[in-house]
Amino acid sequence: PSTIESYILRVTDLDRATKFWEEAIGAEVVSRSESDTSTDVVLRSPIGGGSVQLTRIHSDDRPIDLGHSIFRQYMNTSDSAGLYKHAVNVGYDATHDPFDVPGRVNVVKSYTRQPDGYLMDLCEFQGDPGKRILHGQVDPKEHASEGKIATYIGPTAIYVTAMDAAVDFWSRLGASIMD
């Protein structure tokens, strides 16, 4: 199957957005570029996973209208409650305290928001090693060290208006349905 290795988020303040990803999530800047139309920063987790490209379009000062686009971004973490507390302590939104996910065994989630309003799903899979993470993703608990939280940039959920057509489109590109 194919994987989406990176996605692009338009941001209103590149420095503020980059600081969020570095301070709250623990991602690292891997590149920065500038063109006549935009300035871009690419960040990646030190333990692997996908990356995110933050883009500030020079000629566009409109606020971000999330509307019907990105639903949420998943951050698989070794400690959902700890990452949430850290994000709030460094000044980011306390959207939802950590909770056990009803109907899902061994999943703890919490939510915060990036400065432009994108929802971050801080997801911790609990249980035995080798059974916590599915779909070939990195298991953050295997990379966490004493007192340090490990986070993997996971998949992004998007809104669609026609589920069957969207599944067909992504399937043709080699994607598979995740549970």
Side-chain angles (χ1 to χ4, degrees):
S2 299
T3 60
I4 296 173
E5 291 296 322
S6 183
Y7 50 91
I8 299 171
L9 299 176
R10 185 175 72 84
V11 298
T12 57
D13 183 326
L14 189 60
D15 291 335
R16 184 178 66 165
T18 301
K19 184 177 178 183
F20 169 83
W21 280 89
E22 289 177 313
E23 278 189 356
I25 302 300
E28 299 173 344
V29 173
V30 293
S31 69
R32 185 178 183 97
S33 61
E34 187 153 354
S35 70
D36 292 340
T37 57
S38 68
T39 304
D40 307 297
V41 172
V42 177
L43 298 106
R44 183 179 296 275
S45 167
I47 67 168
S51 62
V52 61
Q53 177 177 321
L54 306 176
T55 298
R56 171 69 176 106
I57 300 171
H58 301 305
S59 63
D60 191 349
D61 290 329
R62 295 174 298 158
I64 304 298
D65 177 9
L66 298 178
H68 295 289
S69 59
I70 293 178
F71 176 57
R72 72 177 71 162
Q73 297 167 277
Y74 292 93
M75 300 294 112
N76 294 340
T77 181
S78 60
D79 182 355
S80 180
L83 187 59
Y84 171 82
K85 183 178 178 183
H86 172 72
V88 170
N89 285 344
V90 295
Y92 297 102
D93 184 61
T95 305
H96 198 296
D97 291 336
F99 64 98
D100 291 325
V101 178
R104 297 287 305 258
V105 177
N106 299 324
V107 178
V108 175
K109 289 188 175 198
S110 56
Y111 298 101
T112 188
R113 289 191 183 275
Q114 296 177 42
D116 282 304
Y118 297 107
L119 184 64
M120 305 293 288
D121 186 326
L122 311 177
C123 190
E124 175 188 350
F125 294 92
Q126 300 175 332
D128 297 330
K131 296 183 178 177
R132 288 189 289 257
I133 300 291
L134 303 175
H135 318 295
Q137 297 177 23
V138 174
D139 184 348
K141 288 185 182 282
E142 293 179 6
H143 294 272
S145 58
E146 187 79 26
K148 189 164 182 171
I149 298 169
T151 302
Y152 167 95
I153 299 174
T156 297
I158 57 174
Y159 284 107
V160 297
T161 56
M163 182 63 76
D164 290 341
V167 168
D168 180 63
F169 171 81
W170 289 103
S171 297
R172 289 172 187 255
L173 293 176
S176 60
I177 297 174
M178 297 174 63
D179 59 352

